[in-house]
Amino acid sequence: MEYPNHPARRYQNCIAVAVPLFLVATAVTAIQYKIPTIMVPVMQQFGVGAYAASWLMSIFTFVGIVFSLPVGMLARRFQPKRIILAAVVLACAASLAGAFAQDVALLLATRALEGVSLVCVIACGPIVIQQCVDPARRGTASGIWMLGGMIGATLAGVTTPLLYDLVGFSGLWLAYAAFAAVSGAILAVVVKAPAAKAPAANGNESRAVRDARPFRERLKAEYGVFAKPNTWAFYLPFGIFQILLLSVLSYAPTSLQQQGMDASLSGFVSTLPMLIAIVSSVAFGALSDALHRCKPLFVVGMLAMALCTPVLLTLSGVPLWIAVVAMGLFAMGVPTVAISAYPSILGDPKLMTVGMGVLMLVQSMGQFLGSLVPASLLGPDLSQWTLCAAVLCGLGLVGTVSLLACRFR
C-alpha cells in the first residue's frame, strides 16, 4: 500500500517484516493441524465417532468461508497489524480454553475460534507486506511469509505425537498457545505500523462529492473491480489450485495404499511437495522480484499442478516420484506469486483489505470443493481413479487457460 503524500516514508527491511509474519503464520497454522496425528486418542478421550471428530479438523475450512469477507472489511477499518495481533490473542485464548475442555462441543467451539484467527492472519499478512516492504522486495517477503503455512502444517505433524506423549492433551494445547504468544510478541516489537496517510487538500470536498452520488454508483466506483471478468479470470485458477491441492492431500494416500504402498510412506509421498515448497516458495518470490513479473511463474505453476495431480492419484514408481518433485518445485510456488500479483489485479492499493477477504473466500471455497469433488467422482467404493484424475486434470488446464487470458504482469 503506497503513501504518496509521505515522500520521506521509509520501508522496513523485508526480512524484518517477513520473518515475524512467518513465525505467526507457522504458530497459528500448527494450532490448526495439531489434530490429525492424534485423532484416535482424541476420539477416545471425548467419546466421539469419526464423523464428529472429523469436524475438529475441517471446521477451519467452514469458518474460512463464513468469515473471510468480514475479516477483509475489518482490515479496511483497522490497522492490519493490530488484527493479526488480535488473532494471535484469540488463538492463544481458544487453545487455553481447549486445553481444559471436558466435552467435544466446547472443544469444537474453541477449534472454530482458532479457525477465525487463521483467517485473520492469512488475510492480513499480505496487507502488512504491502504496507511495510519496498515494492521491489515484496515477492521475496511474500515467499518467506507463505512458508509459514507449509512449515506450520509439517511442524504440527512431526511434533504433535511427541508432545502428546510427553505432556498429554492439555500440555500439548498449552505448548502451541505459548508458541503463538511468543511469535505475536516478536511481531508486535519488530514490525512497525505504517504512518497514517495525510489527508489531501481537497479530501473533504472529494468525499462530499462521492457521498452525493447514488449508492449504486458509489458501490461500482469503489468495488467494481471485483465484478470485472479479468478479476475472475484470476480468481478461477487460484480456486482450482486449491481444489487440486486438497484433492492430493486428501486422496493420494488412499490411492497409493490401494496400490500396495505402506500407509506411512503414502502419507509422506502426499505431503512431500509441501516440504519441497520450502525451496520453491522463496525461489518463486525472488524470481518475481528479479523479473518484475508474476504471470509466467503463475502459469508454469498452474500447468505443473494440472499435470502432476492425476499422476499422484493414479500412478506409482518412477512417474510418481517425478510428479511429486515437480509439484513441489513448480506448482507449490503458485501461492507466493498469486499473492504478489494480486495488487496489480485490484489496481487500487486501498482495495487490498477487502480484496484479501475475497481471495480468502475463494481459497476456502476451493479447499471445501477439494474434499467434495473427488469423493463424488470416485464413487462409494473409491475406485474410479481414472475418471477423477481426468476431471481434475481438465480443471487444472482450464485454470491455466484462464491465467493466460488474464491481464497482469
Side-chain angles (χ1 to χ4, degrees), residues 226-308:
F226 295 109
K228 290 183 177 179
N230 192 63
T231 306
W232 283 98
F234 184 87
Y235 288 148
L236 179 63
F238 186 74
I240 289 176
F241 176 86
Q242 303 299 329
I243 293 175
L244 301 188
L245 178 60
L246 264 291
S247 298
V248 169
L249 293 176
S250 300
Y251 293 95
T254 301
S255 173
L256 295 173
Q257 289 171 36
Q258 288 183 358
Q259 297 178 59
M261 183 177 289
D262 177 77
S264 59
L265 180 58
S266 68
F268 171 75
V269 170
S270 64
T271 56
L272 183 56
M274 302 285 284
L275 297 177
I276 300 175
I278 296 173
V279 175
S280 59
S281 181
V282 177
F284 268 51
L287 278 173
S288 68
D289 285 339
L291 298 173
H292 303 293
R293 298 189 69 188
C294 295
K295 183 173 180 177
L297 298 172
F298 201 160
V299 171
V300 168
M302 193 68 221
L303 182 60
M305 195 70 176
L307 298 179
C308 292

Coordinates of all heavy atoms in Angstrom, one line a residue, residues 226-308:
F226 N -14.2 -6.0 -8.5 CA -14.4 -7.4 -8.1 C -15.4 -8.1 -9.0 O -15.6 -9.3 -9.0 CB -14.9 -7.4 -6.7 CG -13.9 -7.0 -5.7 CD1 -14.1 -5.8 -5.0 CD2 -12.8 -7.8 -5.4 CE1 -13.1 -5.4 -4.1 CE2 -11.9 -7.4 -4.5 CZ -12.0 -6.2 -3.8
A227 N -16.1 -7.3 -9.9 CA -17.1 -7.9 -10.8 C -16.5 -8.0 -12.2 O -17.2 -8.5 -13.1 CB -18.4 -7.0 -10.9
K228 N -15.3 -7.5 -12.4 CA -14.7 -7.5 -13.8 C -14.3 -8.9 -14.2 O -13.8 -9.7 -13.4 CB -13.5 -6.6 -13.8 CG -13.8 -5.1 -13.7 CD -12.6 -4.2 -13.9 CE -12.9 -2.8 -13.9 NZ -11.7 -1.9 -14.0
P229 N -14.5 -9.3 -15.5 CA -14.1 -10.6 -16.0 C -12.6 -10.9 -15.7 O -12.2 -12.0 -15.4 CB -14.4 -10.5 -17.5 CG -15.5 -9.5 -17.6 CD -15.2 -8.5 -16.5
N230 N -11.7 -9.8 -15.8 CA -10.3 -10.0 -15.6 C -10.0 -10.5 -14.2 O -9.1 -11.3 -14.0 CB -9.5 -8.8 -16.0 CG -8.0 -9.0 -16.1 OD1 -7.6 -9.7 -16.9 ND2 -7.3 -8.4 -15.2
T231 N -10.7 -9.9 -13.2 CA -10.5 -10.3 -11.8 C -10.9 -11.8 -11.6 O -10.2 -12.5 -11.0 CB -11.3 -9.4 -10.9 OG1 -11.0 -8.0 -11.2 CG2 -11.0 -9.7 -9.4
W232 N -12.1 -12.2 -12.2 CA -12.5 -13.5 -12.1 C -11.6 -14.5 -12.8 O -11.5 -15.7 -12.5 CB -14.0 -13.7 -12.4 CG -14.8 -13.1 -11.3 CD1 -15.4 -11.9 -11.2 CD2 -15.2 -13.8 -10.1 NE1 -16.0 -11.7 -10.0 CE2 -15.9 -12.9 -9.3 CE3 -14.9 -15.1 -9.6 CZ2 -16.4 -13.2 -8.1 CZ3 -15.4 -15.4 -8.3 CH2 -16.1 -14.5 -7.6
A233 N -11.0 -14.0 -13.9 CA -10.0 -14.9 -14.6 C -8.8 -15.2 -13.8 O -8.1 -16.1 -14.0 CB -9.6 -14.2 -15.9
F234 N -8.6 -14.3 -12.7 CA -7.5 -14.6 -11.8 C -8.0 -15.4 -10.6 O -7.3 -16.4 -10.2 CB -7.1 -13.2 -11.2 CG -5.9 -13.3 -10.3 CD1 -4.6 -13.3 -10.7 CD2 -6.1 -13.4 -8.9 CE1 -3.5 -13.4 -9.8 CE2 -5.1 -13.4 -8.0 CZ -3.8 -13.4 -8.5
Y235 N -9.2 -15.2 -10.1 CA -9.8 -16.0 -9.0 C -10.0 -17.5 -9.4 O -9.8 -18.4 -8.6 CB -11.1 -15.4 -8.6 CG -11.0 -14.1 -7.8 CD1 -12.1 -13.2 -7.9 CD2 -10.0 -13.8 -7.0 CE1 -12.0 -12.0 -7.2 CE2 -9.9 -12.6 -6.3 CZ -10.9 -11.7 -6.4 OH -10.9 -10.6 -5.7
L236 N -10.4 -17.7 -10.7 CA -10.7 -19.1 -11.1 C -9.5 -20.0 -11.0 O -9.7 -21.1 -10.3 CB -11.3 -19.1 -12.5 CG -11.6 -20.4 -13.1 CD1 -12.7 -21.1 -12.3 CD2 -12.0 -20.3 -14.6
P237 N -8.4 -19.7 -11.5 CA -7.2 -20.6 -11.3 C -6.7 -20.7 -9.9 O -6.3 -21.8 -9.5 CB -6.1 -20.0 -12.2 CG -6.5 -18.6 -12.5 CD -8.0 -18.6 -12.4
F238 N -6.9 -19.6 -9.1 CA -6.5 -19.7 -7.7 C -7.4 -20.7 -7.0 O -6.9 -21.5 -6.2 CB -6.5 -18.3 -7.1 CG -6.0 -18.3 -5.7 CD1 -4.6 -18.3 -5.5 CD2 -6.8 -18.2 -4.6 CE1 -4.1 -18.3 -4.2 CE2 -6.3 -18.1 -3.3 CZ -5.0 -18.2 -3.1
G239 N -8.7 -20.6 -7.2 CA -9.6 -21.6 -6.6 C -9.4 -23.0 -7.1 O -9.4 -23.9 -6.3
I240 N -9.1 -23.2 -8.4 CA -8.8 -24.5 -8.9 C -7.6 -25.1 -8.3 O -7.5 -26.3 -8.0 CB -8.8 -24.5 -10.5 CG1 -10.1 -24.2 -11.1 CG2 -8.2 -25.7 -11.0 CD1 -10.1 -24.0 -12.6
F241 N -6.6 -24.2 -8.1 CA -5.3 -24.7 -7.5 C -5.6 -25.3 -6.1 O -5.1 -26.3 -5.7 CB -4.3 -23.6 -7.4 CG -3.1 -23.9 -6.6 CD1 -2.0 -24.5 -7.3 CD2 -2.9 -23.7 -5.3 CE1 -0.8 -24.9 -6.6 CE2 -1.8 -24.1 -4.6 CZ -0.7 -24.7 -5.3
Q242 N -6.5 -24.6 -5.3 CA -6.9 -25.1 -4.0 C -7.6 -26.5 -4.1 O -7.4 -27.4 -3.3 CB -7.7 -24.1 -3.3 CG -7.1 -22.7 -3.1 CD -5.8 -22.7 -2.3 OE1 -5.6 -23.6 -1.4 NE2 -4.9 -21.8 -2.6
I243 N -8.5 -26.6 -5.1 CA -9.2 -27.9 -5.3 C -8.2 -29.0 -5.5 O -8.3 -30.1 -4.9 CB -10.2 -27.8 -6.5 CG1 -11.3 -26.8 -6.1 CG2 -10.7 -29.1 -6.8 CD1 -12.2 -26.5 -7.3
L244 N -7.2 -28.8 -6.4 CA -6.3 -29.8 -6.8 C -5.4 -30.2 -5.6 O -5.1 -31.3 -5.3 CB -5.4 -29.4 -8.0 CG -6.2 -29.1 -9.3 CD1 -5.2 -28.9 -10.4 CD2 -7.2 -30.2 -9.6
L245 N -4.9 -29.1 -4.9 CA -4.0 -29.4 -3.8 C -4.7 -30.2 -2.7 O -4.2 -31.2 -2.2 CB -3.6 -28.0 -3.2 CG -2.7 -28.1 -1.9 CD1 -1.4 -28.9 -2.3 CD2 -2.3 -26.7 -1.4
L246 N -6.0 -29.8 -2.3 CA -6.7 -30.6 -1.3 C -7.0 -32.0 -1.8 O -7.1 -32.9 -1.0 CB -7.9 -29.8 -0.9 CG -7.8 -28.9 0.4 CD1 -7.6 -29.8 1.6 CD2 -6.6 -28.0 0.3
S247 N -7.3 -32.1 -3.1 CA -7.5 -33.5 -3.6 C -6.3 -34.4 -3.4 O -6.5 -35.5 -3.0 CB -7.9 -33.4 -5.1 OG -9.0 -32.6 -5.3
V248 N -5.1 -33.9 -3.7 CA -3.9 -34.7 -3.5 C -3.7 -35.0 -2.0 O -3.4 -36.1 -1.6 CB -2.7 -33.9 -4.1 CG1 -1.4 -34.6 -3.7 CG2 -2.8 -33.8 -5.6
L249 N -3.8 -34.0 -1.2 CA -3.6 -34.2 0.3 C -4.6 -35.1 0.9 O -4.2 -35.9 1.8 CB -3.6 -32.8 1.0 CG -2.5 -31.8 0.7 CD1 -2.7 -30.5 1.4 CD2 -1.1 -32.4 1.0
S250 N -5.8 -35.1 0.4 CA -6.9 -35.9 1.0 C -7.0 -37.3 0.4 O -7.3 -38.2 1.2 CB -8.2 -35.2 0.8 OG -8.2 -33.9 1.4
Y251 N -6.7 -37.5 -0.9 CA -7.0 -38.7 -1.5 C -5.8 -39.5 -2.1 O -5.9 -40.7 -2.4 CB -8.0 -38.5 -2.7 CG -9.4 -38.1 -2.1 CD1 -9.7 -36.8 -2.0 CD2 -10.3 -39.0 -1.7 CE1 -10.9 -36.4 -1.5 CE2 -11.5 -38.7 -1.1 CZ -11.8 -37.3 -1.1 OH -13.0 -37.0 -0.5
A252 N -4.7 -38.8 -2.3 CA -3.5 -39.5 -2.8 C -3.1 -40.7 -1.9 O -2.7 -41.8 -2.4 CB -2.3 -38.6 -3.0
P253 N -3.1 -40.5 -0.5 CA -2.7 -41.6 0.3 C -3.6 -42.8 0.1 O -3.1 -44.0 0.1 CB -2.8 -41.0 1.7 CG -2.6 -39.6 1.6 CD -3.3 -39.2 0.2
T254 N -4.9 -42.6 0.0 CA -5.8 -43.7 -0.2 C -5.5 -44.5 -1.6 O -5.4 -45.7 -1.6 CB -7.2 -43.2 -0.3 OG1 -7.5 -42.6 1.0 CG2 -8.2 -44.4 -0.5
S255 N -5.2 -43.7 -2.6 CA -4.9 -44.3 -3.9 C -3.6 -45.1 -3.8 O -3.6 -46.3 -4.3 CB -4.7 -43.2 -5.0 OG -4.3 -43.8 -6.2
L256 N -2.6 -44.6 -3.2 CA -1.3 -45.3 -3.1 C -1.4 -46.5 -2.2 O -0.8 -47.5 -2.5 CB -0.3 -44.3 -2.5 CG 0.1 -43.1 -3.4 CD1 1.0 -42.1 -2.7 CD2 0.7 -43.6 -4.7
Q257 N -2.2 -46.5 -1.2 CA -2.4 -47.6 -0.3 C -3.2 -48.7 -1.0 O -2.9 -49.9 -0.9 CB -3.2 -47.2 1.0 CG -2.3 -46.4 1.9 CD -3.1 -45.8 3.1 OE1 -4.0 -46.5 3.6 NE2 -2.8 -44.6 3.5
Q258 N -4.1 -48.3 -1.9 CA -4.8 -49.3 -2.7 C -3.9 -50.0 -3.7 O -4.2 -51.2 -4.1 CB -6.0 -48.7 -3.4 CG -7.2 -48.3 -2.6 CD -8.3 -47.7 -3.3 OE1 -8.3 -47.6 -4.6 NE2 -9.4 -47.4 -2.7
Q259 N -2.8 -49.3 -4.0 CA -1.8 -49.9 -4.9 C -0.8 -50.7 -4.2 O 0.2 -51.2 -4.8 CB -1.1 -48.8 -5.8 CG -2.1 -48.1 -6.7 CD -1.4 -46.9 -7.4 OE1 -0.4 -47.2 -8.2 NE2 -1.8 -45.7 -7.2
G260 N -0.9 -50.8 -2.9 CA 0.0 -51.6 -2.1 C 1.1 -50.9 -1.3 O 1.9 -51.5 -0.7
M261 N 1.0 -49.6 -1.3 CA 2.1 -48.8 -0.6 C 1.8 -48.7 0.9 O 0.6 -48.7 1.3 CB 2.2 -47.4 -1.2 CG 3.3 -46.5 -0.5 SD 3.4 -44.9 -1.3 CE 4.1 -45.3 -2.9
D262 N 2.8 -48.8 1.7 CA 2.7 -48.7 3.1 C 2.0 -47.3 3.5 O 2.2 -46.3 2.9 CB 4.0 -48.7 3.8 CG 4.0 -48.6 5.3 OD1 3.6 -49.5 6.0 OD2 4.3 -47.5 5.8
A263 N 1.2 -47.4 4.6 CA 0.4 -46.2 5.0 C 1.3 -45.0 5.3 O 1.0 -43.9 4.9 CB -0.5 -46.5 6.2
S264 N 2.3 -45.3 6.1 CA 3.2 -44.2 6.5 C 3.9 -43.6 5.3 O 4.1 -42.3 5.1 CB 4.2 -44.6 7.5 OG 5.0 -45.7 7.0
L265 N 4.4 -44.4 4.3 CA 5.0 -43.9 3.1 C 4.1 -43.2 2.2 O 4.4 -42.1 1.6 CB 5.6 -45.1 2.3 CG 6.4 -44.7 1.1 CD1 7.5 -43.8 1.4 CD2 6.9 -46.0 0.4
S266 N 2.8 -43.6 2.1 CA 1.9 -42.9 1.3 C 1.6 -41.5 1.9 O 1.4 -40.5 1.1 CB 0.5 -43.7 1.2 OG -0.1 -43.7 2.5
G267 N 1.6 -41.4 3.2 CA 1.4 -40.1 3.8 C 2.6 -39.2 3.5 O 2.4 -38.0 3.2
F268 N 3.8 -39.7 3.6 CA 5.0 -39.0 3.3 C 5.0 -38.5 1.8 O 5.3 -37.3 1.5 CB 6.2 -39.8 3.5 CG 7.5 -39.2 3.0 CD1 8.1 -38.1 3.7 CD2 8.1 -39.7 1.9 CE1 9.3 -37.6 3.3 CE2 9.3 -39.1 1.4 CZ 9.9 -38.0 2.1
V269 N 4.6 -39.4 0.9 CA 4.6 -39.0 -0.5 C 3.6 -37.9 -0.8 O 3.9 -36.9 -1.5 CB 4.2 -40.2 -1.4 CG1 4.0 -39.8 -2.8 CG2 5.3 -41.3 -1.4
S270 N 2.4 -37.9 -0.2 CA 1.4 -36.9 -0.5 C 1.8 -35.5 0.1 O 1.3 -34.5 -0.4 CB 0.1 -37.3 0.1 OG 0.1 -37.5 1.5
T271 N 2.6 -35.5 1.2 CA 3.0 -34.2 1.8 C 4.4 -33.8 1.4 O 4.8 -32.7 1.7 CB 3.0 -34.4 3.3 OG1 3.8 -35.4 3.7 CG2 1.5 -34.6 3.8
L272 N 5.1 -34.6 0.6 CA 6.5 -34.2 0.2 C 6.5 -32.9 -0.6 O 7.4 -32.1 -0.4 CB 7.1 -35.4 -0.6 CG 8.6 -35.1 -1.0 CD1 9.5 -34.8 0.1 CD2 9.1 -36.3 -1.8
P273 N 5.5 -32.7 -1.5 CA 5.5 -31.4 -2.2 C 5.5 -30.2 -1.3 O 6.1 -29.1 -1.6 CB 4.2 -31.5 -3.1 CG 4.0 -32.9 -3.3 CD 4.5 -33.6 -2.0
M274 N 4.8 -30.3 -0.1 CA 4.8 -29.2 0.8 C 6.2 -29.0 1.4 O 6.5 -27.8 1.7 CB 3.8 -29.6 2.0 CG 2.4 -29.8 1.5 SD 1.5 -28.3 1.1 CE 1.1 -27.7 2.7
L275 N 6.9 -30.1 1.6 CA 8.3 -29.9 2.1 C 9.2 -29.2 1.1 O 10.0 -28.4 1.4 CB 8.9 -31.2 2.6 CG 8.1 -32.0 3.7 CD1 8.7 -33.3 4.0 CD2 8.2 -31.1 5.0
I276 N 9.1 -29.7 -0.1 CA 9.9 -29.1 -1.2 C 9.5 -27.6 -1.4 O 10.4 -26.8 -1.9 CB 9.7 -29.9 -2.5 CG1 10.1 -31.4 -2.3 CG2 10.5 -29.3 -3.7 CD1 9.9 -32.3 -3.5
A277 N 8.3 -27.3 -1.1 CA 7.9 -25.9 -1.2 C 8.7 -24.9 -0.4 O 8.7 -23.7 -0.6 CB 6.4 -25.7 -0.8
I278 N 9.4 -25.4 0.6 CA 10.3 -24.6 1.4 C 11.3 -23.9 0.4 O 11.7 -22.7 0.6 CB 11.1 -25.4 2.4 CG1 10.1 -26.0 3.5 CG2 12.2 -24.6 3.1 CD1 10.7 -26.9 4.4
V279 N 11.7 -24.6 -0.7 CA 12.6 -24.0 -1.7 C 11.8 -23.2 -2.7 O 12.2 -22.1 -3.0 CB 13.4 -25.2 -2.4 CG1 14.2 -24.6 -3.5 CG2 14.3 -25.9 -1.4
S280 N 10.7 -23.8 -3.2 CA 10.1 -23.2 -4.3 C 9.3 -21.9 -3.9 O 9.3 -20.9 -4.7 CB 9.1 -24.1 -5.0 OG 8.1 -24.6 -4.0
S281 N 8.8 -21.8 -2.7 CA 8.1 -20.6 -2.3 C 9.0 -19.4 -2.3 O 8.7 -18.3 -2.9 CB 7.5 -20.8 -0.9 OG 6.8 -19.7 -0.5
V282 N 10.2 -19.5 -1.7 CA 11.1 -18.4 -1.6 C 11.7 -18.1 -3.0 O 11.9 -17.0 -3.4 CB 12.2 -18.7 -0.6 CG1 13.3 -17.6 -0.6 CG2 11.7 -18.9 0.8
A283 N 12.0 -19.2 -3.8 CA 12.6 -19.0 -5.1 C 11.6 -18.3 -6.0 O 12.0 -17.4 -6.8 CB 13.0 -20.4 -5.7
F284 N 10.3 -18.7 -6.0 CA 9.4 -18.0 -6.9 C 9.2 -16.6 -6.5 O 9.0 -15.7 -7.4 CB 8.0 -18.7 -6.8 CG 7.8 -19.8 -7.8 CD1 8.8 -20.8 -8.1 CD2 6.7 -19.8 -8.6 CE1 8.6 -21.8 -9.0 CE2 6.5 -20.8 -9.6 CZ 7.4 -21.8 -9.8
G285 N 9.3 -16.3 -5.2 CA 9.2 -14.9 -4.8 C 10.4 -14.1 -5.2 O 10.2 -12.9 -5.7
A286 N 11.6 -14.6 -5.1 CA 12.8 -13.9 -5.5 C 12.8 -13.7 -7.1 O 13.2 -12.7 -7.6 CB 14.0 -14.7 -5.1
L287 N 12.3 -14.8 -7.8 CA 12.3 -14.6 -9.3 C 11.3 -13.6 -9.7 O 11.5 -12.8 -10.7 CB 11.9 -16.0 -9.9 CG 13.0 -17.0 -10.0 CD1 12.4 -18.4 -10.5 CD2 14.0 -16.5 -11.0
S288 N 10.1 -13.5 -9.0 CA 9.1 -12.5 -9.4 C 9.7 -11.1 -9.2 O 9.4 -10.1 -9.9 CB 7.8 -12.7 -8.6 OG 8.0 -12.4 -7.2
D289 N 10.5 -10.9 -8.1 CA 11.2 -9.6 -7.9 C 12.2 -9.3 -9.0 O 12.3 -8.2 -9.5 CB 11.9 -9.6 -6.5 CG 10.9 -9.5 -5.4 OD1 9.8 -9.0 -5.6 OD2 11.3 -9.8 -4.2
A290 N 13.0 -10.3 -9.3 CA 14.0 -10.1 -10.4 C 13.4 -9.9 -11.7 O 13.9 -9.0 -12.5 CB 15.0 -11.4 -10.4
L291 N 12.4 -10.6 -12.1 CA 11.7 -10.4 -13.4 C 10.8 -9.3 -13.5 O 10.4 -8.9 -14.6 CB 11.0 -11.7 -13.8 CG 11.9 -13.0 -13.9 CD1 11.0 -14.2 -14.1 CD2 12.8 -12.9 -15.1
H292 N 10.3 -8.8 -12.3 CA 9.3 -7.8 -12.2 C 8.0 -8.3 -12.9 O 7.2 -7.6 -13.4 CB 9.7 -6.5 -12.9 CG 10.9 -5.9 -12.3 ND1 11.0 -5.4 -11.0 CD2 12.2 -5.8 -12.8 CE1 12.2 -5.0 -10.7 NE2 13.0 -5.2 -11.8
R293 N 7.8 -9.6 -12.9 CA 6.6 -10.3 -13.5 C 6.2 -11.5 -12.6 O 7.1 -12.2 -12.1 CB 6.9 -10.7 -14.9 CG 7.2 -9.5 -15.9 CD 7.2 -10.0 -17.3 NE 5.9 -10.4 -17.7 CZ 5.6 -11.0 -18.9 NH1 6.6 -11.3 -19.7 NH2 4.4 -11.3 -19.3
C294 N 5.0 -11.7 -12.5 CA 4.4 -12.9 -11.8 C 3.7 -13.9 -12.7 O 3.6 -15.1 -12.5 CB 3.5 -12.4 -10.7 SG 4.3 -11.5 -9.4
K295 N 3.1 -13.4 -13.8 CA 2.3 -14.2 -14.7 C 3.0 -15.4 -15.2 O 2.4 -16.5 -15.1 CB 1.7 -13.3 -15.8 CG 0.7 -14.1 -16.7 CD 0.0 -13.2 -17.7 CE -0.9 -14.0 -18.6 NZ -1.7 -13.1 -19.5
P296 N 4.2 -15.3 -15.8 CA 4.8 -16.5 -16.3 C 5.0 -17.6 -15.3 O 4.8 -18.8 -15.5 CB 6.2 -16.0 -16.9 CG 6.0 -14.6 -17.1 CD 5.0 -14.1 -16.0
L297 N 5.4 -17.2 -14.0 CA 5.6 -18.1 -12.9 C 4.3 -18.8 -12.5 O 4.2 -20.0 -12.2 CB 6.3 -17.4 -11.8 CG 7.7 -16.9 -12.0 CD1 8.1 -16.0 -10.9 CD2 8.7 -18.0 -12.3
F298 N 3.2 -18.0 -12.5 CA 1.9 -18.5 -12.1 C 1.4 -19.5 -13.1 O 0.9 -20.6 -12.8 CB 0.9 -17.3 -12.0 CG -0.3 -17.6 -11.2 CD1 -1.1 -16.5 -10.7 CD2 -0.8 -18.9 -11.0 CE1 -2.2 -16.8 -10.0 CE2 -1.9 -19.1 -10.2 CZ -2.6 -18.1 -9.7
V299 N 1.6 -19.2 -14.4 CA 1.2 -20.1 -15.5 C 2.0 -21.5 -15.4 O 1.4 -22.5 -15.5 CB 1.4 -19.5 -16.9 CG1 1.2 -20.5 -18.0 CG2 0.5 -18.3 -17.1
V300 N 3.3 -21.4 -15.2 CA 4.1 -22.6 -15.1 C 3.7 -23.4 -13.9 O 3.5 -24.6 -14.0 CB 5.6 -22.2 -14.9 CG1 6.4 -23.4 -14.5 CG2 6.2 -21.7 -16.2
G301 N 3.4 -22.8 -12.8 CA 3.0 -23.5 -11.6 C 1.6 -24.1 -11.7 O 1.4 -25.3 -11.3
M302 N 0.7 -23.4 -12.4 CA -0.6 -23.9 -12.6 C -0.6 -25.1 -13.5 O -1.3 -26.1 -13.3 CB -1.5 -22.8 -13.1 CG -3.0 -23.2 -13.1 SD -3.7 -23.2 -11.4 CE -4.7 -24.7 -11.6
L303 N 0.2 -25.0 -14.6 CA 0.3 -26.1 -15.5 C 0.9 -27.4 -14.9 O 0.5 -28.5 -15.1 CB 1.1 -25.7 -16.8 CG 1.3 -26.7 -17.9 CD1 -0.1 -27.2 -18.4 CD2 2.2 -26.2 -19.0
A304 N 1.9 -27.1 -14.0 CA 2.5 -28.2 -13.3 C 1.5 -28.9 -12.4 O 1.5 -30.2 -12.3 CB 3.7 -27.7 -12.5
M305 N 0.7 -28.1 -11.7 CA -0.3 -28.7 -10.8 C -1.3 -29.5 -11.6 O -1.7 -30.6 -11.2 CB -1.0 -27.6 -10.1 CG -1.9 -28.0 -8.9 SD -0.7 -28.6 -7.6 CE -1.9 -29.0 -6.3
A306 N -1.7 -29.0 -12.8 CA -2.7 -29.8 -13.6 C -2.1 -31.1 -14.1 O -2.9 -32.1 -14.2 CB -3.1 -28.9 -14.9
L307 N -0.8 -31.2 -14.4 CA -0.2 -32.4 -14.9 C 0.2 -33.4 -13.8 O 0.2 -34.6 -14.0 CB 1.0 -32.0 -15.8 CG 0.7 -31.2 -17.1 CD1 1.9 -30.9 -17.8 CD2 -0.4 -31.9 -18.0
C308 N 0.6 -32.8 -12.7 CA 1.1 -33.7 -11.6 C 0.0 -34.3 -10.8 O 0.1 -35.5 -10.3 CB 2.0 -32.9 -10.7 SG 3.5 -32.4 -11.5

